[in-house]
Amino acid sequence: MQSEEMTDPEHGRTAPGEPVEEPAERSADQGHDNLEAAATVLLGLAALLIAWSVYQSGLWDGRQAAAQTMSVNTTTESVDELQIADTTKALDQTLFIEMFTSGSCDDEGGDDFVCDQIFANMSPEGEAAVNAWFDNDDLVPVESEAYLDALYAEGNELAEEGVRFFEEAGQANQNGDDYDLASTVLTLVVQPAAYLTLERRRPGGERMAGAA
């Protein structure tokens, strides 16, 4: 409520007919002004966070695509390397059987030329395994752990790397989804709330709100 008295500027008295703002009204206006300022700040902050979320989402989408490409390429390379290792193992096994059955590399009655040709066609891993077999007849060269580890090392490493890239792609996808969700929440919840607060403070807004 407002009184109809007026204040005399010279004597500090209230003159009749001049409206005087009551303390309760001043407090309400101050509260509304603070709310409007807070809504404005919140609206600006929400816009900034939405832009940042959109940027981060695009950034993580790019990282996901790059990691997926690397995963596919690396996995393909690992398959090729493992197939080569299988072929090499089969050849080493065939050459070892030929050497063993023919006796070409025996100390007595061997054929040095044939023996050299056999070793020349073996893989480095196969040659090392056969040399180890000469020292231990109980060892099967092409089935030993050392031989298999050495022969399949590169293919297995590439396979593990492909899995790592795949996991990175999954994590990048999750991060991108999180930023998308944050942007959606800010757009659908925070921004409308701030806009509604500001709308209620526009001319006629309080009357409309009061009428509602």
PDB file of all heavy atoms in Angstrom, residues 78-79 81-90 125 142-160:
ATOM      1  N   SER A  78      47.404 -56.890 -37.394  1.00  0.00           N
ATOM      2  CA  SER A  78      47.701 -58.021 -36.501  1.00  0.00           C
ATOM      3  C   SER A  78      47.265 -59.343 -37.133  1.00  0.00           C
ATOM      4  O   SER A  78      47.971 -60.355 -37.017  1.00  0.00           O
ATOM      5  CB  SER A  78      47.006 -57.828 -35.156  1.00  0.00           C
ATOM      6  OG  SER A  78      45.608 -58.043 -35.258  1.00  0.00           O
ATOM      7  N   VAL A  79      46.112 -59.331 -37.812  1.00  0.00           N
ATOM      8  CA  VAL A  79      45.645 -60.548 -38.490  1.00  0.00           C
ATOM      9  C   VAL A  79      46.638 -60.955 -39.572  1.00  0.00           C
ATOM     10  O   VAL A  79      46.972 -62.148 -39.715  1.00  0.00           O
ATOM     11  CB  VAL A  79      44.244 -60.322 -39.081  1.00  0.00           C
ATOM     12  CG1 VAL A  79      43.833 -61.502 -39.968  1.00  0.00           C
ATOM     13  CG2 VAL A  79      43.212 -60.127 -37.970  1.00  0.00           C
ATOM     14  N   GLU A  81      49.857 -60.264 -39.692  1.00  0.00           N
ATOM     15  CA  GLU A  81      51.090 -60.742 -39.058  1.00  0.00           C
ATOM     16  C   GLU A  81      50.912 -62.141 -38.484  1.00  0.00           C
ATOM     17  O   GLU A  81      51.822 -62.981 -38.572  1.00  0.00           O
ATOM     18  CB  GLU A  81      51.532 -59.772 -37.961  1.00  0.00           C
ATOM     19  CG  GLU A  81      52.078 -58.448 -38.467  1.00  0.00           C
ATOM     20  CD  GLU A  81      53.360 -58.630 -39.261  1.00  0.00           C
ATOM     21  OE1 GLU A  81      54.108 -59.592 -38.984  1.00  0.00           O
ATOM     22  OE2 GLU A  81      53.608 -57.817 -40.180  1.00  0.00           O
ATOM     23  N   LEU A  82      49.772 -62.415 -37.896  1.00  0.00           N
ATOM     24  CA  LEU A  82      49.533 -63.741 -37.327  1.00  0.00           C
ATOM     25  C   LEU A  82      49.413 -64.802 -38.426  1.00  0.00           C
ATOM     26  O   LEU A  82      49.854 -65.948 -38.243  1.00  0.00           O
ATOM     27  CB  LEU A  82      48.270 -63.721 -36.467  1.00  0.00           C
ATOM     28  CG  LEU A  82      48.364 -62.900 -35.167  1.00  0.00           C
ATOM     29  CD1 LEU A  82      47.013 -62.821 -34.477  1.00  0.00           C
ATOM     30  CD2 LEU A  82      49.412 -63.487 -34.223  1.00  0.00           C
ATOM     31  N   GLN A  83      48.830 -64.425 -39.554  1.00  0.00           N
ATOM     32  CA  GLN A  83      48.768 -65.363 -40.677  1.00  0.00           C
ATOM     33  C   GLN A  83      50.163 -65.654 -41.233  1.00  0.00           C
ATOM     34  O   GLN A  83      50.479 -66.800 -41.572  1.00  0.00           O
ATOM     35  CB  GLN A  83      47.861 -64.794 -41.772  1.00  0.00           C
ATOM     36  CG  GLN A  83      46.391 -64.800 -41.415  1.00  0.00           C
ATOM     37  CD  GLN A  83      45.521 -64.174 -42.499  1.00  0.00           C
ATOM     38  OE1 GLN A  83      46.016 -63.455 -43.371  1.00  0.00           O
ATOM     39  NE2 GLN A  83      44.219 -64.439 -42.446  1.00  0.00           N
ATOM     40  N   ILE A  84      50.977 -64.617 -41.308  1.00  0.00           N
ATOM     41  CA  ILE A  84      52.369 -64.819 -41.741  1.00  0.00           C
ATOM     42  C   ILE A  84      53.101 -65.734 -40.769  1.00  0.00           C
ATOM     43  O   ILE A  84      53.873 -66.620 -41.166  1.00  0.00           O
ATOM     44  CB  ILE A  84      53.085 -63.465 -41.866  1.00  0.00           C
ATOM     45  CG1 ILE A  84      52.497 -62.658 -43.022  1.00  0.00           C
ATOM     46  CG2 ILE A  84      54.587 -63.660 -42.072  1.00  0.00           C
ATOM     47  CD1 ILE A  84      53.039 -61.242 -43.121  1.00  0.00           C
ATOM     48  N   ALA A  85      52.846 -65.538 -39.469  1.00  0.00           N
ATOM     49  CA  ALA A  85      53.482 -66.376 -38.455  1.00  0.00           C
ATOM     50  C   ALA A  85      53.040 -67.834 -38.605  1.00  0.00           C
ATOM     51  O   ALA A  85      53.859 -68.764 -38.475  1.00  0.00           O
ATOM     52  CB  ALA A  85      53.145 -65.861 -37.058  1.00  0.00           C
ATOM     53  N   ASP A  86      51.761 -68.047 -38.896  1.00  0.00           N
ATOM     54  CA  ASP A  86      51.274 -69.420 -39.107  1.00  0.00           C
ATOM     55  C   ASP A  86      51.977 -70.072 -40.303  1.00  0.00           C
ATOM     56  O   ASP A  86      52.379 -71.247 -40.243  1.00  0.00           O
ATOM     57  CB  ASP A  86      49.763 -69.413 -39.345  1.00  0.00           C
ATOM     58  CG  ASP A  86      48.972 -69.151 -38.071  1.00  0.00           C
ATOM     59  OD1 ASP A  86      49.520 -69.374 -36.976  1.00  0.00           O
ATOM     60  OD2 ASP A  86      47.804 -68.718 -38.178  1.00  0.00           O
ATOM     61  N   THR A  87      52.110 -69.312 -41.383  1.00  0.00           N
ATOM     62  CA  THR A  87      52.771 -69.839 -42.584  1.00  0.00           C
ATOM     63  C   THR A  87      54.238 -70.135 -42.308  1.00  0.00           C
ATOM     64  O   THR A  87      54.785 -71.169 -42.732  1.00  0.00           O
ATOM     65  CB  THR A  87      52.648 -68.826 -43.734  1.00  0.00           C
ATOM     66  OG1 THR A  87      51.261 -68.556 -43.987  1.00  0.00           O
ATOM     67  CG2 THR A  87      53.288 -69.368 -45.001  1.00  0.00           C
ATOM     68  N   THR A  88      54.881 -69.224 -41.579  1.00  0.00           N
ATOM     69  CA  THR A  88      56.302 -69.417 -41.243  1.00  0.00           C
ATOM     70  C   THR A  88      56.492 -70.643 -40.367  1.00  0.00           C
ATOM     71  O   THR A  88      57.440 -71.422 -40.559  1.00  0.00           O
ATOM     72  CB  THR A  88      56.842 -68.167 -40.522  1.00  0.00           C
ATOM     73  OG1 THR A  88      56.669 -67.027 -41.364  1.00  0.00           O
ATOM     74  CG2 THR A  88      58.317 -68.334 -40.184  1.00  0.00           C
ATOM     75  N   LYS A  89      55.588 -70.828 -39.412  1.00  0.00           N
ATOM     76  CA  LYS A  89      55.681 -71.994 -38.535  1.00  0.00           C
ATOM     77  C   LYS A  89      55.555 -73.287 -39.344  1.00  0.00           C
ATOM     78  O   LYS A  89      56.304 -74.260 -39.122  1.00  0.00           O
ATOM     79  CB  LYS A  89      54.598 -71.925 -37.464  1.00  0.00           C
ATOM     80  CG  LYS A  89      54.589 -73.130 -36.537  1.00  0.00           C
ATOM     81  CD  LYS A  89      53.405 -73.081 -35.574  1.00  0.00           C
ATOM     82  CE  LYS A  89      53.339 -74.351 -34.739  1.00  0.00           C
ATOM     83  NZ  LYS A  89      52.140 -74.379 -33.858  1.00  0.00           N
ATOM     84  N   ALA A  90      54.590 -73.301 -40.283  1.00  0.00           N
ATOM     85  CA  ALA A  90      54.407 -74.502 -41.107  1.00  0.00           C
ATOM     86  C   ALA A  90      55.657 -74.798 -41.939  1.00  0.00           C
ATOM     87  O   ALA A  90      56.074 -75.966 -42.072  1.00  0.00           O
ATOM     88  CB  ALA A  90      53.197 -74.322 -42.015  1.00  0.00           C
ATOM     89  N   GLU A 125      63.681 -67.315 -36.123  1.00  0.00           N
ATOM     90  CA  GLU A 125      63.139 -67.962 -34.926  1.00  0.00           C
ATOM     91  C   GLU A 125      63.239 -69.481 -35.041  1.00  0.00           C
ATOM     92  O   GLU A 125      63.573 -70.173 -34.050  1.00  0.00           O
ATOM     93  CB  GLU A 125      61.667 -67.564 -34.730  1.00  0.00           C
ATOM     94  CG  GLU A 125      61.432 -66.097 -34.439  1.00  0.00           C
ATOM     95  CD  GLU A 125      61.399 -65.247 -35.702  1.00  0.00           C
ATOM     96  OE1 GLU A 125      61.460 -65.823 -36.817  1.00  0.00           O
ATOM     97  OE2 GLU A 125      61.290 -64.014 -35.580  1.00  0.00           O
ATOM     98  N   VAL A 142      59.507 -76.419 -33.072  1.00  0.00           N
ATOM     99  CA  VAL A 142      58.453 -75.515 -33.527  1.00  0.00           C
ATOM    100  C   VAL A 142      57.263 -75.451 -32.566  1.00  0.00           C
ATOM    101  O   VAL A 142      56.254 -74.826 -32.890  1.00  0.00           O
ATOM    102  CB  VAL A 142      57.971 -75.924 -34.930  1.00  0.00           C
ATOM    103  CG1 VAL A 142      59.069 -75.737 -35.948  1.00  0.00           C
ATOM    104  CG2 VAL A 142      57.451 -77.360 -34.933  1.00  0.00           C
ATOM    105  N   GLU A 143      57.374 -76.102 -31.432  1.00  0.00           N
ATOM    106  CA  GLU A 143      56.319 -76.043 -30.427  1.00  0.00           C
ATOM    107  C   GLU A 143      56.814 -75.480 -29.105  1.00  0.00           C
ATOM    108  O   GLU A 143      56.046 -75.399 -28.143  1.00  0.00           O
ATOM    109  CB  GLU A 143      55.712 -77.427 -30.197  1.00  0.00           C
ATOM    110  CG  GLU A 143      55.013 -78.027 -31.415  1.00  0.00           C
ATOM    111  CD  GLU A 143      53.808 -77.219 -31.863  1.00  0.00           C
ATOM    112  OE1 GLU A 143      53.255 -76.461 -31.035  1.00  0.00           O
ATOM    113  OE2 GLU A 143      53.420 -77.335 -33.043  1.00  0.00           O
ATOM    114  N   SER A 144      58.073 -75.096 -29.057  1.00  0.00           N
ATOM    115  CA  SER A 144      58.623 -74.573 -27.801  1.00  0.00           C
ATOM    116  C   SER A 144      58.034 -73.193 -27.506  1.00  0.00           C
ATOM    117  O   SER A 144      57.665 -72.431 -28.414  1.00  0.00           O
ATOM    118  CB  SER A 144      60.144 -74.476 -27.881  1.00  0.00           C
ATOM    119  OG  SER A 144      60.539 -73.483 -28.813  1.00  0.00           O
ATOM    120  N   GLU A 145      57.937 -72.860 -26.236  1.00  0.00           N
ATOM    121  CA  GLU A 145      57.365 -71.576 -25.821  1.00  0.00           C
ATOM    122  C   GLU A 145      58.194 -70.408 -26.342  1.00  0.00           C
ATOM    123  O   GLU A 145      57.644 -69.395 -26.796  1.00  0.00           O
ATOM    124  CB  GLU A 145      57.266 -71.528 -24.298  1.00  0.00           C
ATOM    125  CG  GLU A 145      56.604 -70.259 -23.769  1.00  0.00           C
ATOM    126  CD  GLU A 145      56.441 -70.278 -22.265  1.00  0.00           C
ATOM    127  OE1 GLU A 145      56.698 -71.332 -21.647  1.00  0.00           O
ATOM    128  OE2 GLU A 145      56.044 -69.228 -21.710  1.00  0.00           O
ATOM    129  N   ALA A 146      59.508 -70.558 -26.292  1.00  0.00           N
ATOM    130  CA  ALA A 146      60.375 -69.478 -26.758  1.00  0.00           C
ATOM    131  C   ALA A 146      60.170 -69.221 -28.254  1.00  0.00           C
ATOM    132  O   ALA A 146      60.118 -68.068 -28.703  1.00  0.00           O
ATOM    133  CB  ALA A 146      61.832 -69.826 -26.472  1.00  0.00           C
ATOM    134  N   TYR A 147      60.047 -70.302 -29.033  1.00  0.00           N
ATOM    135  CA  TYR A 147      59.850 -70.165 -30.479  1.00  0.00           C
ATOM    136  C   TYR A 147      58.510 -69.502 -30.787  1.00  0.00           C
ATOM    137  O   TYR A 147      58.428 -68.561 -31.592  1.00  0.00           O
ATOM    138  CB  TYR A 147      59.913 -71.543 -31.135  1.00  0.00           C
ATOM    139  CG  TYR A 147      59.500 -71.554 -32.597  1.00  0.00           C
ATOM    140  CD1 TYR A 147      60.366 -71.117 -33.590  1.00  0.00           C
ATOM    141  CD2 TYR A 147      58.238 -72.016 -32.978  1.00  0.00           C
ATOM    142  CE1 TYR A 147      59.983 -71.122 -34.925  1.00  0.00           C
ATOM    143  CE2 TYR A 147      57.849 -72.031 -34.305  1.00  0.00           C
ATOM    144  CZ  TYR A 147      58.722 -71.584 -35.282  1.00  0.00           C
ATOM    145  OH  TYR A 147      58.339 -71.589 -36.597  1.00  0.00           O
ATOM    146  N   LEU A 148      57.449 -69.957 -30.151  1.00  0.00           N
ATOM    147  CA  LEU A 148      56.120 -69.411 -30.419  1.00  0.00           C
ATOM    148  C   LEU A 148      56.006 -67.959 -29.975  1.00  0.00           C
ATOM    149  O   LEU A 148      55.405 -67.124 -30.671  1.00  0.00           O
ATOM    150  CB  LEU A 148      55.059 -70.265 -29.726  1.00  0.00           C
ATOM    151  CG  LEU A 148      54.939 -71.711 -30.223  1.00  0.00           C
ATOM    152  CD1 LEU A 148      53.911 -72.475 -29.391  1.00  0.00           C
ATOM    153  CD2 LEU A 148      54.540 -71.744 -31.708  1.00  0.00           C
ATOM    154  N   ASP A 149      56.595 -67.643 -28.824  1.00  0.00           N
ATOM    155  CA  ASP A 149      56.559 -66.260 -28.344  1.00  0.00           C
ATOM    156  C   ASP A 149      57.272 -65.330 -29.319  1.00  0.00           C
ATOM    157  O   ASP A 149      56.785 -64.231 -29.618  1.00  0.00           O
ATOM    158  CB  ASP A 149      57.197 -66.151 -26.957  1.00  0.00           C
ATOM    159  CG  ASP A 149      56.318 -66.762 -25.868  1.00  0.00           C
ATOM    160  OD1 ASP A 149      55.126 -67.009 -26.150  1.00  0.00           O
ATOM    161  OD2 ASP A 149      56.828 -67.008 -24.750  1.00  0.00           O
ATOM    162  N   ALA A 150      58.440 -65.763 -29.790  1.00  0.00           N
ATOM    163  CA  ALA A 150      59.202 -64.924 -30.718  1.00  0.00           C
ATOM    164  C   ALA A 150      58.495 -64.791 -32.068  1.00  0.00           C
ATOM    165  O   ALA A 150      58.463 -63.709 -32.663  1.00  0.00           O
ATOM    166  CB  ALA A 150      60.596 -65.501 -30.905  1.00  0.00           C
ATOM    167  N   LEU A 151      57.914 -65.884 -32.563  1.00  0.00           N
ATOM    168  CA  LEU A 151      57.306 -65.885 -33.887  1.00  0.00           C
ATOM    169  C   LEU A 151      56.019 -65.059 -33.923  1.00  0.00           C
ATOM    170  O   LEU A 151      55.747 -64.352 -34.899  1.00  0.00           O
ATOM    171  CB  LEU A 151      57.006 -67.320 -34.317  1.00  0.00           C
ATOM    172  CG  LEU A 151      56.550 -67.523 -35.765  1.00  0.00           C
ATOM    173  CD1 LEU A 151      57.655 -67.102 -36.730  1.00  0.00           C
ATOM    174  CD2 LEU A 151      56.161 -68.974 -36.001  1.00  0.00           C
ATOM    175  N   TYR A 152      55.230 -65.145 -32.848  1.00  0.00           N
ATOM    176  CA  TYR A 152      53.932 -64.469 -32.835  1.00  0.00           C
ATOM    177  C   TYR A 152      53.960 -63.143 -32.075  1.00  0.00           C
ATOM    178  O   TYR A 152      52.905 -62.517 -31.879  1.00  0.00           O
ATOM    179  CB  TYR A 152      52.877 -65.381 -32.205  1.00  0.00           C
ATOM    180  CG  TYR A 152      52.497 -66.556 -33.073  1.00  0.00           C
ATOM    181  CD1 TYR A 152      53.160 -67.772 -32.966  1.00  0.00           C
ATOM    182  CD2 TYR A 152      51.479 -66.446 -34.011  1.00  0.00           C
ATOM    183  CE1 TYR A 152      52.817 -68.850 -33.767  1.00  0.00           C
ATOM    184  CE2 TYR A 152      51.121 -67.521 -34.809  1.00  0.00           C
ATOM    185  CZ  TYR A 152      51.798 -68.717 -34.684  1.00  0.00           C
ATOM    186  OH  TYR A 152      51.451 -69.781 -35.495  1.00  0.00           O
ATOM    187  N   ALA A 153      55.140 -62.693 -31.675  1.00  0.00           N
ATOM    188  CA  ALA A 153      55.238 -61.500 -30.829  1.00  0.00           C
ATOM    189  C   ALA A 153      54.638 -60.262 -31.500  1.00  0.00           C
ATOM    190  O   ALA A 153      53.814 -59.547 -30.906  1.00  0.00           O
ATOM    191  CB  ALA A 153      56.694 -61.238 -30.454  1.00  0.00           C
ATOM    192  N   GLU A 154      55.028 -59.999 -32.742  1.00  0.00           N
ATOM    193  CA  GLU A 154      54.560 -58.783 -33.414  1.00  0.00           C
ATOM    194  C   GLU A 154      53.053 -58.804 -33.636  1.00  0.00           C
ATOM    195  O   GLU A 154      52.361 -57.804 -33.407  1.00  0.00           O
ATOM    196  CB  GLU A 154      55.285 -58.613 -34.742  1.00  0.00           C
ATOM    197  CG  GLU A 154      54.962 -57.299 -35.443  1.00  0.00           C
ATOM    198  CD  GLU A 154      55.825 -57.054 -36.659  1.00  0.00           C
ATOM    199  OE1 GLU A 154      56.722 -57.888 -36.936  1.00  0.00           O
ATOM    200  OE2 GLU A 154      55.609 -56.033 -37.337  1.00  0.00           O
ATOM    201  N   GLY A 155      52.535 -59.956 -34.076  1.00  0.00           N
ATOM    202  CA  GLY A 155      51.089 -60.056 -34.292  1.00  0.00           C
ATOM    203  C   GLY A 155      50.305 -59.886 -33.009  1.00  0.00           C
ATOM    204  O   GLY A 155      49.269 -59.210 -32.986  1.00  0.00           O
ATOM    205  N   ASN A 156      50.792 -60.472 -31.910  1.00  0.00           N
ATOM    206  CA  ASN A 156      50.103 -60.338 -30.631  1.00  0.00           C
ATOM    207  C   ASN A 156      50.157 -58.905 -30.111  1.00  0.00           C
ATOM    208  O   ASN A 156      49.179 -58.404 -29.536  1.00  0.00           O
ATOM    209  CB  ASN A 156      50.723 -61.293 -29.606  1.00  0.00           C
ATOM    210  CG  ASN A 156      50.386 -62.747 -29.901  1.00  0.00           C
ATOM    211  OD1 ASN A 156      49.352 -63.051 -30.499  1.00  0.00           O
ATOM    212  ND2 ASN A 156      51.260 -63.664 -29.488  1.00  0.00           N
ATOM    213  N   GLU A 157      51.289 -58.247 -30.307  1.00  0.00           N
ATOM    214  CA  GLU A 157      51.411 -56.857 -29.876  1.00  0.00           C
ATOM    215  C   GLU A 157      50.443 -55.963 -30.642  1.00  0.00           C
ATOM    216  O   GLU A 157      49.807 -55.072 -30.068  1.00  0.00           O
ATOM    217  CB  GLU A 157      52.848 -56.368 -30.069  1.00  0.00           C
ATOM    218  CG  GLU A 157      53.832 -56.971 -29.084  1.00  0.00           C
ATOM    219  CD  GLU A 157      55.264 -56.528 -29.370  1.00  0.00           C
ATOM    220  OE1 GLU A 157      55.454 -55.719 -30.316  1.00  0.00           O
ATOM    221  OE2 GLU A 157      56.173 -56.981 -28.659  1.00  0.00           O
ATOM    222  N   LEU A 158      50.325 -56.183 -31.939  1.00  0.00           N
ATOM    223  CA  LEU A 158      49.381 -55.401 -32.740  1.00  0.00           C
ATOM    224  C   LEU A 158      47.943 -55.671 -32.324  1.00  0.00           C
ATOM    225  O   LEU A 158      47.104 -54.761 -32.306  1.00  0.00           O
ATOM    226  CB  LEU A 158      49.570 -55.713 -34.224  1.00  0.00           C
ATOM    227  CG  LEU A 158      50.837 -55.164 -34.878  1.00  0.00           C
ATOM    228  CD1 LEU A 158      51.020 -55.732 -36.279  1.00  0.00           C
ATOM    229  CD2 LEU A 158      50.795 -53.636 -34.926  1.00  0.00           C
ATOM    230  N   ALA A 159      47.639 -56.920 -31.998  1.00  0.00           N
ATOM    231  CA  ALA A 159      46.283 -57.259 -31.541  1.00  0.00           C
ATOM    232  C   ALA A 159      45.946 -56.534 -30.240  1.00  0.00           C
ATOM    233  O   ALA A 159      44.841 -55.990 -30.069  1.00  0.00           O
ATOM    234  CB  ALA A 159      46.155 -58.768 -31.365  1.00  0.00           C
ATOM    235  N   GLU A 160      46.908 -56.507 -29.313  1.00  0.00           N
ATOM    236  CA  GLU A 160      46.696 -55.804 -28.046  1.00  0.00           C
ATOM    237  C   GLU A 160      46.539 -54.303 -28.277  1.00  0.00           C
ATOM    238  O   GLU A 160      45.715 -53.648 -27.620  1.00  0.00           O
ATOM    239  CB  GLU A 160      47.864 -56.081 -27.100  1.00  0.00           C
ATOM    240  CG  GLU A 160      47.934 -57.527 -26.620  1.00  0.00           C
ATOM    241  CD  GLU A 160      49.162 -57.796 -25.779  1.00  0.00           C
ATOM    242  OE1 GLU A 160      49.968 -56.849 -25.595  1.00  0.00           O
ATOM    243  OE2 GLU A 160      49.334 -58.934 -25.305  1.00  0.00           O
TER     244      GLU A 160
END
